[in-house]
Amino acid sequence: MAELSRHRRHAVRAGAAGVAALGLTLATACGTPPGDKPEGAGETAGLAEDPQFVWAVTGADRQVHESVARLWNERNPDQQVDIFFLAPTADEQRRAMFQDLQSQAGEFDVLGLDVIWTGEFADFGYLERLEDLRGEVEGVSLEGAIDSAQWQQELYALPYSSNGAFLYYRTDLIDEPPTTWEELYETGTEAAQEAGISGYVGQGDQYEGLVVNFLELYWSAGGQLFDDDQQQSTLLEGDAAATALDFMTEAYDSGFYAEGFDSMVEDDARALFQAGEAVYMRNWPYAIPLLEGEDGEESAVVGNFAVAPLPTFTGEGTTSALGGLNNAVSTLSENKDLAREFVLWAATDPEAQDVMASQSLPPTMQSAYEDAEDPNLEVLGEILADAQARPPVPGYNSMSLDMQESVHAAYLGQEDPREALEAMDQSANEALEQE
């Protein structure tokens, strides 16, 4: 592997036990861990006898969303909200909201959108423009969360919840977490050989998680998918894309990636690391209490792991894909003013955001992390401060599908890397056009 710069960076590290107390949940772009199906998905919560507007949001983290809605209702007894809980998977959520909008049914006033859907819904004309509220969230919400809520430099949603990725590492095998990907590769390979286990687990299957893993490598090499105006793809500018793909290819060829990496999703990686069979893992914070053996969970790594930010290729800074949800106002809403009040309140009210933090859903207000009594919430805040939003362009869904196929085939050696990157560049440009 090519020699890379070893400049040190400020690294935030957290003991596993401390973060376990935080009890954060997964946002796989952003729902529940694979296999979990929230109760009551596809039904109304019944929080108000005479609701004035309806909030459509994922059935994942149902109790948290209900707590937020109840707080609003307590403060606004004559302007109450009810929740329609959507299905657990992102595709089903997206489909349900599109059906409501395309059919002109207008059942939903507030739309709880995955952070990658802003551009698509806005480009179809389904979202009210919220640019006049920018001053209310800038300096209040995490910068990456605001980025994910806009399309063509204008806000069409407001931040609600967030999430970021951690590097998990074995403290009984690794003294300090790596600051570069090369250091991770070298120390992981050595430790894995000595312990007779795998070096690294993550999300390598052909799905959205693979795109997230690739983008984190790509961003950490200095790449950006689009120009500042989101007018054209810049995927092939510089060598960031090739650097990221080369790393994945070598990691797979050399056996640094665990056997079966090419079919792993979040919980597959978590299970292998939890069994003590890997040195490093890229995953969301939901894994921490499971690895700590809470609620009778069997774990071979209790007391022998910690978390840190993901490394970069230069050793400077860190990066993570941003997970979470934004709230938007449907253009079909018959109560747009009230819906606007709600999405702004959910984004900027300290008590509403504290409700989320107290129930394990990472908030988007910067102050929730700065003022946190739990130092591990501050750790997540520092990671989220540098987290990047996947570009909320209109064709993200189709671009992601193409990237999944190209990246998967390329790192497995089934497609020429250059051809794969050129295909991804073409898909990125097409994603800027209305579907």
Side-chain angles (χ1 to χ4, degrees):
M1 185 171 291
E3 181 66 25
L4 301 171
S5 169
R6 291 183 176 276
H7 295 301
R8 302 296 292 180
R9 61 163 167 84
H10 170 65
V12 182
R13 300 180 179 90
V19 183
L22 188 60
L24 297 169
T25 54
L26 168 68
T28 54
C30 305
T32 57
D36 287 0
K37 181 179 177 59
E39 294 182 6
E43 68 180 25
T44 302
L47 301 179
E49 292 184 4
D50 183 25
Q52 300 302 299
F53 65 105
V54 175
W55 176 24
V57 69
T58 173
D61 304 306
R62 174 175 179 140
Q63 292 182 340
V64 186
H65 304 318
E66 286 188 353
S67 295
V68 171
R70 286 195 174 97
L71 179 61
W72 167 273
N73 287 346
E74 289 173 7
R75 295 187 182 178
N76 303 274
D78 298 325
Q79 297 176 323
Q80 300 213 337
V81 64
D82 206 348
I83 304 176
F84 183 89
F85 285 113
L86 302 169
T89 67
D91 285 345
E92 290 175 296
Q93 295 163 29
R94 177 174 169 270
R95 187 180 306 116
M97 286 187 283
F98 260 111
Q99 287 175 347
D100 178 75
L101 294 160
Q102 291 173 334
S103 68
Q104 299 289 299
E107 296 292 333
F108 310 140
D109 300 280
V110 176
L111 307 175
L113 301 178
D114 190 299
V115 292
I116 62 178
W117 294 339
T118 308
E120 181 180 28
F121 278 72
D123 204 54
F124 272 108
Y126 292 153
L127 306 182
E128 287 290 302
R129 183 175 173 273
L130 301 177
E131 182 61 24
D132 60 310
L133 299 179
R134 180 179 292 274
E136 303 289 337
V137 295
E138 285 191 333
V140 176
S141 299
L142 297 166
E143 184 177 348
I146 295 175
D147 289 344
S148 74
Q150 62 185 12
W151 164 235
Q152 294 185 334
Q153 310 300 314
E154 294 194 340
L155 282 173
Y156 284 91
L158 295 184
Y160 173 60
S161 68
S162 191
N163 215 342
F166 286 103
L167 175 69
Y168 292 75
Y169 67 99
R170 290 280 297 276
T171 54
D172 55 332
L173 303 176
I174 299 294
D175 293 331
E176 293 288 334
T179 61
T180 69
W181 286 107
E182 184 182 65
E183 184 184 354
L184 177 143
Y185 179 90
E186 292 174 349
T187 58
T189 297
E190 181 179 355
Q193 291 175 346
E194 292 179 357
I197 59 177
S198 298
Y200 185 90
V201 290
Q203 294 72 55
D205 198 6
Q206 188 174 318
Y207 78 119
E208 175 66 16
L210 175 61
V211 176
V212 168
N213 279 237
F214 170 79
L215 286 177
E216 287 169 343
L217 288 164
Y218 172 68
W219 288 329
S220 72
Q224 290 296 330
L225 274 177
F226 300 106
D227 60 11
D228 291 340
D229 296 328
Q230 293 187 324
Q231 296 296 314
Q232 65 180 10
S233 167
T234 54
L235 178 73
L236 298 181
E237 291 187 6
D239 60 0
T243 298
L245 198 53
D246 285 348
F247 179 88
M248 295 184 71
T249 301
E250 184 165 350
Y252 180 79
D253 287 344
S254 67
F256 177 65
Y257 284 165
E259 183 177 354
F261 180 85
D262 58 323
S263 61
M264 281 186 187
V265 298
E266 280 81 357
D267 240 24
D268 299 321
R270 189 271 307 167
L272 199 64
F273 189 87
Q274 187 168 325
E277 293 299 321
V279 179
Y280 290 117
M281 175 176 69
R282 182 269 176 213
N283 219 325
W284 307 96
Y286 88 98
I288 293 173
L290 300 174
L291 302 180
E292 278 297 325
E294 291 188 7
D295 298 326
E297 185 79 17
E298 292 186 9
S299 175
V301 297
V302 175
N304 287 323
F305 78 94
V307 297
L310 294 173
T312 65
F313 282 100
T314 64
E316 298 292 333
T318 184
T319 191
S320 167
L322 191 74
L325 294 172
N326 298 321
N327 282 322
V329 178
S330 168
T331 53
L332 299 180
S333 170
E334 295 182 356
N335 206 339
K336 294 184 178 66
D337 288 343
L338 186 53
R340 282 166 52 91
E341 288 182 32
F342 177 80
V343 301
L344 178 60
W345 171 82
T348 61
D349 184 81
E351 189 175 355
Q353 291 273 305
D354 284 346
V355 164
M356 290 191 287
S358 68
Q359 297 188 44
S360 305
L361 189 64
T364 55
M365 282 187 71
Q366 296 179 23
S367 61
Y369 301 94
E370 296 166 356
D371 302 335
E373 294 182 4
D374 185 340
N376 296 297
L377 191 57
E378 293 184 41
V379 170
L380 181 60
E382 293 192 43
I383 291 173
L384 291 176
D386 291 329
Q388 297 200 47
R390 287 158 288 167
V393 296
Y396 182 87
N397 201 56
S398 58
M399 179 185 74
S400 174
L401 292 173
D402 289 341
M403 290 183 70
Q404 294 167 29
E405 182 177 358
S406 294
V407 172
H408 198 258
Y411 89 79
L412 293 181
Q414 299 170 354
E415 183 177 354
D416 179 77
R418 182 65 190 180
E419 293 179 0
L421 292 176
E422 289 175 351
M424 290 162 61
D425 181 61
Q426 180 178 343
S427 294
N429 277 314
E430 292 173 352
L432 294 169
E433 303 172 1
Q434 182 174 338
E435 292 185 324

